[in-house]
mmCIF file of all heavy atoms in Angstrom:
data_model
loop_
_atom_site.group_PDB
_atom_site.id
_atom_site.type_symbol
_atom_site.label_atom_id
_atom_site.label_comp_id
_atom_site.label_asym_id
_atom_site.label_seq_id
_atom_site.Cartn_x
_atom_site.Cartn_y
_atom_site.Cartn_z
ATOM 1 N N ALA A 29 -16.277 3.418 -16.471
ATOM 2 C CA ALA A 29 -17.096 3.860 -15.446
ATOM 3 C C ALA A 29 -17.508 2.909 -14.482
ATOM 4 O O ALA A 29 -17.668 3.200 -13.298
ATOM 5 C CB ALA A 29 -18.315 4.588 -16.204
ATOM 6 N N ALA A 30 -17.694 1.718 -14.892
ATOM 7 C CA ALA A 30 -18.114 0.692 -14.004
ATOM 8 C C ALA A 30 -16.955 0.338 -13.061
ATOM 9 O O ALA A 30 -17.187 0.080 -11.890
ATOM 10 C CB ALA A 30 -18.500 -0.682 -14.831
ATOM 11 N N ALA A 31 -15.818 0.267 -13.520
ATOM 12 C CA ALA A 31 -14.551 0.056 -12.654
ATOM 13 C C ALA A 31 -14.479 1.230 -11.742
ATOM 14 O O ALA A 31 -14.206 0.946 -10.491
ATOM 15 C CB ALA A 31 -13.314 -0.111 -13.565
ATOM 16 N N VAL A 32 -14.626 2.368 -12.093
ATOM 17 C CA VAL A 32 -14.627 3.600 -11.139
ATOM 18 C C VAL A 32 -15.632 3.443 -10.136
ATOM 19 O O VAL A 32 -15.394 3.770 -8.935
ATOM 20 C CB VAL A 32 -14.641 4.876 -11.977
ATOM 21 C CG1 VAL A 32 -14.725 6.116 -11.022
ATOM 22 C CG2 VAL A 32 -13.398 5.069 -12.835
ATOM 23 N N ARG A 33 -16.844 3.138 -10.491
ATOM 24 C CA ARG A 33 -17.930 3.006 -9.607
ATOM 25 C C ARG A 33 -17.546 1.925 -8.555
ATOM 26 O O ARG A 33 -17.888 2.094 -7.329
ATOM 27 C CB ARG A 33 -19.307 2.684 -10.179
ATOM 28 C CG ARG A 33 -19.950 3.926 -10.927
ATOM 29 C CD ARG A 33 -21.384 3.516 -11.443
ATOM 30 N NE ARG A 33 -21.446 2.472 -12.253
ATOM 31 C CZ ARG A 33 -21.345 2.517 -13.640
ATOM 32 N NH1 ARG A 33 -21.102 3.613 -14.188
ATOM 33 N NH2 ARG A 33 -21.499 1.428 -14.312
ATOM 34 N N ASN A 34 -16.946 0.890 -8.962
ATOM 35 C CA ASN A 34 -16.644 -0.211 -8.017
ATOM 36 C C ASN A 34 -15.543 0.240 -6.970
ATOM 37 O O ASN A 34 -15.670 -0.062 -5.829
ATOM 38 C CB ASN A 34 -16.049 -1.437 -8.869
ATOM 39 C CG ASN A 34 -15.710 -2.593 -7.977
ATOM 40 O OD1 ASN A 34 -16.413 -2.812 -6.956
ATOM 41 N ND2 ASN A 34 -14.674 -3.356 -8.296
ATOM 42 N N LEU A 35 -14.496 1.027 -7.524
ATOM 43 C CA LEU A 35 -13.626 1.628 -6.558
ATOM 44 C C LEU A 35 -14.263 2.544 -5.634
ATOM 45 O O LEU A 35 -13.921 2.589 -4.439
ATOM 46 C CB LEU A 35 -12.439 2.291 -7.412
ATOM 47 C CG LEU A 35 -11.480 1.391 -8.141
ATOM 48 C CD1 LEU A 35 -10.584 2.214 -8.990
ATOM 49 C CD2 LEU A 35 -10.644 0.594 -7.097
ATOM 50 N N GLN A 36 -15.211 3.471 -6.030
ATOM 51 C CA GLN A 36 -15.817 4.388 -5.226
ATOM 52 C C GLN A 36 -16.672 3.725 -4.183
ATOM 53 O O GLN A 36 -16.735 4.080 -3.011
ATOM 54 C CB GLN A 36 -16.654 5.331 -5.967
ATOM 55 C CG GLN A 36 -15.865 6.200 -6.877
ATOM 56 C CD GLN A 36 -16.615 7.111 -7.799
ATOM 57 O OE1 GLN A 36 -17.593 6.659 -8.302
ATOM 58 N NE2 GLN A 36 -16.183 8.333 -8.163
ATOM 59 N N ALA A 37 -17.360 2.549 -4.572
ATOM 60 C CA ALA A 37 -18.098 1.788 -3.575
ATOM 61 C C ALA A 37 -17.262 1.217 -2.504
ATOM 62 O O ALA A 37 -17.585 1.192 -1.256
ATOM 63 C CB ALA A 37 -18.910 0.711 -4.233
ATOM 64 N N MET A 38 -16.102 0.716 -2.891
ATOM 65 C CA MET A 38 -15.084 0.180 -1.930
ATOM 66 C C MET A 38 -14.654 1.188 -1.053
ATOM 67 O O MET A 38 -14.569 1.100 0.209
ATOM 68 C CB MET A 38 -13.950 -0.399 -2.613
ATOM 69 C CG MET A 38 -14.348 -1.782 -3.364
ATOM 70 S SD MET A 38 -12.976 -2.498 -4.279
ATOM 71 C CE MET A 38 -11.488 -2.202 -3.315
ATOM 72 N N GLU A 39 -14.389 2.505 -1.563
ATOM 73 C CA GLU A 39 -13.880 3.581 -0.737
ATOM 74 C C GLU A 39 -14.925 3.960 0.260
ATOM 75 O O GLU A 39 -14.624 4.211 1.482
ATOM 76 C CB GLU A 39 -13.629 4.763 -1.715
ATOM 77 C CG GLU A 39 -13.188 5.896 -0.841
ATOM 78 C CD GLU A 39 -13.084 7.297 -1.689
ATOM 79 O OE1 GLU A 39 -13.606 7.354 -2.747
ATOM 80 O OE2 GLU A 39 -12.445 8.183 -1.159
ATOM 81 N N GLN A 40 -16.242 3.939 -0.160
ATOM 82 C CA GLN A 40 -17.463 4.339 0.738
ATOM 83 C C GLN A 40 -17.487 3.405 1.897
ATOM 84 O O GLN A 40 -17.606 3.755 3.123
ATOM 85 C CB GLN A 40 -18.742 4.443 -0.038
ATOM 86 C CG GLN A 40 -19.841 4.863 0.791
ATOM 87 C CD GLN A 40 -19.592 6.201 1.550
ATOM 88 O OE1 GLN A 40 -19.182 7.228 0.965
ATOM 89 N NE2 GLN A 40 -20.058 6.371 2.717
ATOM 90 N N LYS A 41 -17.432 2.027 1.522
ATOM 91 C CA LYS A 41 -17.533 0.973 2.542
ATOM 92 C C LYS A 41 -16.337 1.112 3.643
ATOM 93 O O LYS A 41 -16.583 0.996 4.762
ATOM 94 C CB LYS A 41 -17.395 -0.399 1.907
ATOM 95 C CG LYS A 41 -17.693 -1.506 2.924
ATOM 96 C CD LYS A 41 -17.791 -2.829 2.189
ATOM 97 C CE LYS A 41 -17.966 -3.970 3.198
ATOM 98 N NZ LYS A 41 -18.228 -5.265 2.480
ATOM 99 N N ASN A 42 -15.120 1.386 3.039
ATOM 100 C CA ASN A 42 -13.986 1.630 3.934
ATOM 101 C C ASN A 42 -14.172 2.781 4.979
ATOM 102 O O ASN A 42 -13.828 2.788 6.043
ATOM 103 C CB ASN A 42 -12.762 1.779 3.119
ATOM 104 C CG ASN A 42 -12.328 0.447 2.437
ATOM 105 O OD1 ASN A 42 -12.702 -0.599 2.799
ATOM 106 N ND2 ASN A 42 -11.479 0.654 1.426
ATOM 107 N N VAL A 43 -14.737 3.924 4.334
ATOM 108 C CA VAL A 43 -14.986 5.091 5.140
ATOM 109 C C VAL A 43 -15.942 4.743 6.190
ATOM 110 O O VAL A 43 -15.823 5.107 7.416
ATOM 111 C CB VAL A 43 -15.450 6.226 4.273
ATOM 112 C CG1 VAL A 43 -16.116 7.358 5.147
ATOM 113 C CG2 VAL A 43 -14.322 6.634 3.364
ATOM 114 N N GLU A 44 -17.082 4.022 5.879
ATOM 115 C CA GLU A 44 -18.158 3.672 6.857
ATOM 116 C C GLU A 44 -17.492 2.708 7.932
ATOM 117 O O GLU A 44 -17.798 2.957 9.121
ATOM 118 C CB GLU A 44 -19.194 2.923 6.200
ATOM 119 C CG GLU A 44 -20.054 3.800 5.343
ATOM 120 C CD GLU A 44 -21.074 2.999 4.399
ATOM 121 O OE1 GLU A 44 -21.143 1.855 4.613
ATOM 122 O OE2 GLU A 44 -21.642 3.660 3.559
ATOM 123 N N VAL A 45 -16.646 1.744 7.528
ATOM 124 C CA VAL A 45 -15.953 0.852 8.579
ATOM 125 C C VAL A 45 -15.118 1.697 9.519
ATOM 126 O O VAL A 45 -15.226 1.528 10.696
ATOM 127 C CB VAL A 45 -15.164 -0.241 7.901
ATOM 128 C CG1 VAL A 45 -14.384 -0.987 8.943
ATOM 129 C CG2 VAL A 45 -16.233 -1.071 7.161
ATOM 130 N N ALA A 46 -14.251 2.610 8.988
ATOM 131 C CA ALA A 46 -13.367 3.376 9.752
ATOM 132 C C ALA A 46 -14.129 4.261 10.644
ATOM 133 O O ALA A 46 -13.757 4.418 11.834
ATOM 134 C CB ALA A 46 -12.494 4.330 8.738
ATOM 135 N N ARG A 47 -15.310 4.881 10.289
ATOM 136 C CA ARG A 47 -16.127 5.667 11.054
ATOM 137 C C ARG A 47 -16.600 4.900 12.313
ATOM 138 O O ARG A 47 -16.629 5.246 13.402
ATOM 139 C CB ARG A 47 -17.243 6.200 10.309
ATOM 140 C CG ARG A 47 -18.049 7.243 11.016
ATOM 141 C CD ARG A 47 -19.114 7.891 10.068
ATOM 142 N NE ARG A 47 -18.501 8.712 9.201
ATOM 143 C CZ ARG A 47 -18.700 8.844 7.855
ATOM 144 N NH1 ARG A 47 -19.616 7.896 7.431
ATOM 145 N NH2 ARG A 47 -18.101 9.585 6.928
ATOM 146 N N ARG A 48 -17.123 3.622 11.958
ATOM 147 C CA ARG A 48 -17.660 2.824 13.078
ATOM 148 C C ARG A 48 -16.392 2.380 14.053
ATOM 149 O O ARG A 48 -16.712 2.394 15.351
ATOM 150 C CB ARG A 48 -18.189 1.504 12.572
ATOM 151 C CG ARG A 48 -19.678 1.706 12.121
ATOM 152 C CD ARG A 48 -20.258 0.411 11.646
ATOM 153 N NE ARG A 48 -19.602 0.143 10.394
ATOM 154 C CZ ARG A 48 -19.761 -1.120 9.706
ATOM 155 N NH1 ARG A 48 -20.374 -2.032 10.333
ATOM 156 N NH2 ARG A 48 -19.176 -1.204 8.644
ATOM 157 N N LEU A 49 -15.287 2.069 13.566
ATOM 158 C CA LEU A 49 -14.185 1.824 14.372
ATOM 159 C C LEU A 49 -13.813 2.933 15.233
ATOM 160 O O LEU A 49 -13.370 2.810 16.455
ATOM 161 C CB LEU A 49 -12.934 1.339 13.678
ATOM 162 C CG LEU A 49 -13.138 -0.064 12.966
ATOM 163 C CD1 LEU A 49 -12.033 -0.350 11.975
ATOM 164 C CD2 LEU A 49 -13.193 -1.167 13.856
ATOM 165 N N LEU A 50 -13.789 4.174 14.735
ATOM 166 C CA LEU A 50 -13.342 5.411 15.493
ATOM 167 C C LEU A 50 -14.355 5.775 16.492
ATOM 168 O O LEU A 50 -14.114 6.272 17.583
ATOM 169 C CB LEU A 50 -13.080 6.553 14.619
ATOM 170 C CG LEU A 50 -11.918 6.308 13.656
ATOM 171 C CD1 LEU A 50 -11.931 7.400 12.659
ATOM 172 C CD2 LEU A 50 -10.619 6.304 14.419
ATOM 173 N N LYS A 51 -15.685 5.497 16.226
ATOM 174 C CA LYS A 51 -16.791 5.713 17.242
ATOM 175 C C LYS A 51 -16.699 4.748 18.328
ATOM 176 O O LYS A 51 -17.099 5.039 19.498
ATOM 177 C CB LYS A 51 -18.190 5.698 16.518
ATOM 178 C CG LYS A 51 -18.559 6.825 15.693
ATOM 179 C CD LYS A 51 -19.820 6.626 15.063
ATOM 180 C CE LYS A 51 -20.883 7.477 15.632
ATOM 181 N NZ LYS A 51 -22.108 7.373 15.068
#
Side-chain angles (χ1 to χ4, degrees):
V32 169
R33 284 191 302 272
N34 186 34
L35 288 171
Q36 289 172 331
M38 288 174 42
E39 176 189 20
Q40 182 60 37
K41 185 174 182 179
N42 290 342
V43 167
E44 291 170 6
V45 169
R47 187 174 291 130
R48 279 185 285 168
L49 290 172
L50 291 172
K51 280 177 111 176

